[in-house]
Amino acid sequence: MGEIIHDGWIHGASPLDGAPLSPVRVTTADGIRGVVRRARQAQAAWAARPIAERARLLAEAGRCLMGKADEIAAELHRELGKPMADAYGVDLGSTPEVFRYYTTRAEDFLPAEDVAFNPVMFPRKKARVERLPHGVVGLIMPWNYPVSIPVHNLVPALLAGNAVVLKPSEHAARTSAALVGALSDALPEALLGLVQGGAEAGAALVAEVDQIVFVGGVVGGRAVARAAAERLIPAQIELGGKDAAIVLRDADLDRAAHGIAWAGFVNAGQSCAGVERVYVESEVFDAFVGRLVAVAERLRVGDDGAAPGTVEIGPMATPAQLSRVEAHVSQAVAAGAQVRCGGARRGNCYLPTVLTGVDPSLDLLREETFGPVIPVVAVPDADAAIRAANESAYGLTGSVWTRDVARGAALARELRVGVATVNNHMFTAAAPQAVWTGRGISGYGVQNGSAVVQAMTRPRLLAVDENTAPRELWWFPYDRAFFDLARGMVRSLGRGSKLERLSSAGQMVRGAARRWLAASRSGEERS
């Protein structure tokens, strides 16, 4: 169980039963440079293709991926312990929509933008803003969703004309190799590269690429951000969360209990945007906790490989993550928290756990747990819930549960998060139409929607001047006409109403421009 890098190989055992996994060779620093070099060569021809052709090939790559869904789902199950229903329904399940969304609307994402110049100040001039690819985009991706998270990034990156090199977590090396292999069947050779290894491989990749996208933990994200800043390359950094759900007294408690249970326990709680704190108005606290416990106790734990769909909670993916969950719960219980259900491991699984009475200073309410554990806290009112939810260094997502949707939306806007939801949680991570971002130590990366395509490109202005005058008004030598124009424009901004200012400025500009043009054409000496 877990991965160990030594002797140039990634070793490991399945979290399901401890059976050894096939070793994967670590990519050397020279090897990483070679992968990036070949990707850069492929990128030039790829960027020269019309975007519609890039979209067509990406759509075909998506079909190749879905054609190997069974193989990839089996790898997700074996390598990371995901229940088969999760492998298909959550990790693989969001990918067809990602390909459909970007490839069917490709030409909408990168239109050139005309620039409107002031015709008096800049006569007969026009310009357009074009979006160009960065070049080679490096993706350093996490182990918890090793198909959906890379796909949500690599599809828009490739559509924008970039090449991509993926460095997956060492804990998802085999699944990622299957992913890249399936997609590469339809793409130009070397356009999508793969490098394997741990933090050293990630650092080597950052040193070579033109843009980096990092999804993972805060420590790693800070290291990548520093390295990118040193090279002055753009970085998209999306980190973890300590996401809160707020349940108001008028909420549909059955729906809230089921929705929060899913968002807190899916993928064994190993979701950056999973519910890790719940604040409930005191009036309905006991009723909500009872419903949440009832849902949690019905969840089935184990391995559904022989009978897909019979298990909701699989094993923790790594020994380190299981130990972290145990430590957070043990610390809370030692400080007086009550375990309402779960609170123990079963093999490599951790039982779905609900706790109450947790001291707000403890790690369970402050640090990312990343496991199937939901602490529930009573609060007197909605304002107290918002304050408690915002007392966090993280700021990825949050939700408000209420029958009053308008009030819920108003409260959701008060959450210091990148994604706020009413009467649901986390579902937009799978929706490529919906922007996904964070704040605080959850990072500043942008995923999904047109925003991510923009982030995968850089703007370039192309300006054309069709003016035939001997010189521009502001060119040397300076003269009295230019001085009068500049002084008049500056001073006009402080005069009267907006309409008066515009009229005054226009008169001064036109008058000064006429004087300058007349003097220029007559060849008079100007002082």
Side-chain angles (χ1 to χ4, degrees), residues 173-517:
R174 300 153 193 85
T175 299
S176 300
L179 169 68
V180 171
L183 293 172
S184 296
D185 286 345
L187 296 174
E189 185 178 359
L191 185 69
L192 175 59
L194 174 70
V195 299
Q196 300 278 17
E200 290 183 359
L205 183 63
V206 176
E208 299 295 330
V209 296
D210 305 304
Q211 180 185 25
I212 194 70
V213 180
F214 177 91
V215 180
V218 174
V219 174
R222 283 177 168 148
V224 169
R226 284 192 295 268
E230 183 66 28
R231 293 194 59 225
L232 296 177
I233 63 171
Q236 296 288 317
I237 308 293
E238 197 258 277
L239 308 177
K242 192 67 182 176
D243 294 355
I246 294 172
V247 180
L248 302 183
R249 68 191 68 188
D250 70 336
D252 180 333
L253 298 184
D254 287 325
R255 177 178 175 81
H258 281 91
I260 289 170
W262 176 82
F265 297 142
V266 68
N267 198 36
Q270 299 166 128
S271 303
C272 59
V275 171
E276 294 215 359
R277 298 176 291 152
V278 183
Y279 298 100
V280 184
E281 288 195 281
S282 300
E283 186 176 322
V284 295
F285 178 79
D286 290 336
F288 172 78
V289 170
R291 286 169 169 80
L292 181 62
V293 168
V295 174
E297 289 181 333
R298 288 196 297 270
L299 298 178
R300 298 161 295 181
V301 176
D303 176 5
D304 72 342
T310 59
V311 162
E312 287 83 27
I313 309 296
M316 305 300 294
T318 72
Q321 198 53 47
L322 180 56
S323 296
R324 181 179 180 86
V325 172
E326 289 184 305
H328 278 199
V329 173
S330 297
Q331 182 195 45
V333 171
Q338 297 84 50
V339 176
R340 298 300 188 98
C341 66
R345 64 184 292 174
R346 180 187 296 166
N348 292 328
C349 300
Y350 200 84
L351 300 178
T353 300
V354 176
L355 297 99
T356 57
V358 179
D359 187 313
S361 68
L362 298 180
D363 288 346
L364 191 58
L365 284 174
R366 299 182 65 84
E367 301 297 329
E368 189 174 34
T369 303
F370 222 58
V373 180
I374 300 179
V376 187
V377 180
V379 292
D381 53 37
D383 289 341
I386 293 291
R387 286 195 300 272
N390 286 339
E391 289 176 356
S392 174
Y394 294 93
L396 190 53
T397 79
S399 58
V400 178
W401 300 75
T402 174
R403 285 187 170 90
D404 187 340
V405 174
R407 183 182 181 225
L411 290 169
R413 290 188 179 96
E414 296 183 33
L415 292 171
R416 290 199 291 267
V417 297
V419 179
T421 309
V422 178
N423 293 331
N424 214 313
H425 196 104
M426 199 170 66
F427 79 95
T428 61
Q433 304 87 348
V435 68
W436 183 269
T437 188
R439 57 185 298 178
I441 64 171
S442 290
Y444 48 81
V446 176
Q447 296 187 68
N448 292 353
S450 60
V452 70
V453 184
Q454 297 286 306
M456 298 291 188
T457 61
R458 59 181 177 84
R460 178 180 67 187
L461 181 76
L462 177 62
V464 175
D465 194 338
E466 298 175 346
N467 192 4
T468 59
R471 69 181 184 89
E472 297 286 359
L473 180 62
W474 61 87
W475 288 356
F476 297 143
Y478 289 147
D479 55 21
R480 185 56 186 244
F482 175 69
F483 171 78
D484 288 343
L485 173 62
R487 182 171 181 264
M489 291 183 63
V490 171
R491 294 184 65 188
S492 71
L493 296 179
R495 297 176 181 172
S497 67
K498 179 179 180 181
L499 183 60
E500 291 171 337
R501 291 196 304 271
L502 291 174
S503 176
S504 174
Q507 291 173 3
M508 283 185 284
V509 167
R510 287 191 293 271
R514 282 196 298 268
R515 290 193 298 274
W516 172 85
L517 187 59

Side-chain angles (χ1 to χ4, degrees), residues 38-61:
R38 291 189 292 275
R40 198 177 303 286
Q41 293 168 349
Q43 186 270 332
W46 176 252
R49 295 176 186 246
I51 192 169
E53 185 177 349
R54 298 200 297 263
R56 180 183 63 78
L57 289 172
L58 279 169
E60 179 59 26

Side-chain angles (χ1 to χ4, degrees), residues 70-120:
D70 289 348
E71 171 190 335
I72 294 172
E75 202 65 75
L76 285 165
H77 178 68
R78 181 169 51 251
E79 186 172 39
L80 295 163
K82 286 180 182 279
M84 293 299 289
D86 263 6
Y88 282 101
V90 180
D91 216 340
L92 281 162
S94 69
T95 56
E97 177 67 2
V98 174
F99 282 96
R100 186 207 63 78
Y101 173 71
Y102 288 109
T103 61
T104 59
R105 301 184 58 215
E107 296 185 13
D108 297 338
F109 290 118
L110 297 172
E113 178 185 354
D114 290 328
V115 176
F117 288 118
N118 182 316
V120 176

